[in-house]
Amino acid sequence: MTALAREAVKLGGTVGAEHGLGKRKAHLLQIQYPPDQIEAMKQVKRRFDPDWLLGGERCSRIPMKPNVATT
């Protein structure tokens, strides 16, 4: 799954589909976005849903590893 995600991003695509990533694919965001952008997404989530009532377990489990090279 990771290799497919890397290839998709390399070809200009994304790691998610129109319905998001879900629990099993959240770790793939680091292939497409650098850590500062993932943190910005979490900050928006905290701002508009401070109690993390809407899918919080998905966003909170996104790893914050350095951006994975796609080339």
Side-chain angles (χ1 to χ4, degrees), residues 10-32:
K10 181 179 174 183
L11 295 172
T14 65
V15 298
E18 60 188 80
H19 296 290
L21 293 174
K23 294 178 184 178
R24 292 185 181 174
K25 296 182 186 176
H27 67 283
L28 297 176
L29 274 181
Q30 65 187 349
I31 292 171
Q32 184 174 350

Side-chain angles (χ1 to χ4, degrees), residues 30-52:
Q30 65 187 349
I31 292 171
Q32 184 174 350
Y33 300 105
D36 60 327
Q37 289 182 3
I38 293 174
E39 183 56 35
M41 293 176 203
K42 287 183 173 186
Q43 288 176 13
V44 169
K45 172 73 174 161
R46 284 191 287 267
R47 175 77 171 157
F48 291 101
D49 185 14
D51 296 323
W52 291 67

